[in-house]
Amino acid sequence: GSMQELRAWNDTFVDLAKKLDGYRHHYAKQLHQGLQMAIDSVSSVLTCHLVYQRGWDDKFPLAHVLIEQEMFDRKMRYTHAGPHHADLSFLSEHGKGKCEWSRGQQKLLLILLKIAQSQIFQGECIFLFDDLHSELDEARVQALYQQIRQLAGQSIFTALDDSASHLPIFEDSRWFY
């Protein structure tokens, strides 16, 4: 199609992108706060900043970005700026956390993120945890398990063996083999 035909879609795209961005921004703010509270409850040394990236350069309105990139987008047959490129980044004090955190710390953060999401949802959730005690020390497992027990819904834990069955925190759990 022509540039004029392409631009006919821009206004609708920009309006919907702004609405979606507003919802996502609000959710990311709630998620960041919930994640911070969850982190504080299990670790005094781990820091994580959740950053929402909307999918286009914040310095310019999306309508401007679309016009600036329209030749490239037409050539590639794909719109490169917009809410479909939104992302969440997990940052440590020094940059990208994935490059800095251990596998155990990454696992801990993802579990805490799910806990924070369930608190925003405020409904019953089903949680599936695979090998919770691997890569985490016993103190972290206990702290996590205490948080998980307070959540509305059901939690299912899997493990390669029953080595965690002796832990006091699992004494009230049902085991299936």
Side-chain angles (χ1 to χ4, degrees):
S2 69
M3 291 288 204
Q4 189 175 10
E5 290 171 330
L6 180 64
R7 286 183 182 175
W9 291 99
N10 282 3
D11 290 341
T12 303
F13 182 73
V14 168
D15 288 343
L16 293 173
K18 285 180 184 177
K19 286 181 185 175
L20 187 56
D21 179 57
Y23 296 139
R24 287 176 172 170
H25 181 75
H26 177 71
Y27 180 75
K29 188 175 180 179
Q30 287 181 305
L31 191 57
H32 177 72
Q33 292 170 347
L35 180 61
Q36 291 306 310
M37 290 183 354
I39 289 171
D40 292 344
S41 69
V42 297
S43 177
S44 60
V45 295
L46 189 61
T47 58
C48 176
H49 302 284
L50 186 66
V51 178
Y52 166 68
Q53 297 149 341
R54 63 176 28 154
W56 66 91
D57 191 346
D58 288 345
K59 297 174 191 157
F60 303 101
L62 180 57
H64 175 78
V65 174
L66 291 173
I67 291 171
E68 289 290 316
Q69 292 183 352
E70 67 187 357
M71 291 300 286
F72 178 72
D73 288 349
R74 278 185 59 130
K75 182 179 176 185
M76 300 305 288
R77 298 180 168 265
Y78 185 79
T79 304
H80 288 82
H84 54 292
H85 279 279
D87 201 2
L88 289 174
S89 295
F90 299 85
L91 304 178
S92 68
E93 292 178 9
H94 308 290
K96 286 197 173 188
K98 188 172 184 176
C99 301
E100 193 173 315
W101 295 321
S102 69
R103 287 176 51 96
Q105 288 171 318
Q106 290 178 38
K107 182 176 185 172
L108 178 65
L109 282 169
L110 290 176
I111 292 169
L112 293 173
L113 181 69
K114 292 298 179 186
I115 290 171
Q117 284 180 310
S118 73
Q119 291 169 339
I120 292 170
F121 176 63
Q122 296 178 347
E124 291 189 2
C125 296
I126 297 176
F127 292 93
L128 305 173
F129 296 99
D130 183 36
D131 236 356
L132 181 67
H133 65 281
S134 73
E135 299 171 350
L136 297 174
D137 61 20
E138 192 170 328
R140 297 283 180 265
V141 172
Q142 288 180 339
L144 277 174
Y145 190 69
Q146 294 307 321
Q147 280 199 354
I148 293 166
R149 287 184 63 178
Q150 295 173 14
L151 300 174
Q154 183 178 17
S155 298
I156 299 170
F157 300 88
T158 64
L160 295 175
D161 56 40
D162 64 354
S163 62
S165 63
H166 73 282
L167 297 175
I169 59 171
F170 294 123
E171 66 187 21
D172 64 340
S173 300
R174 286 185 258 158
W175 291 80
F176 301 93
Y177 295 92

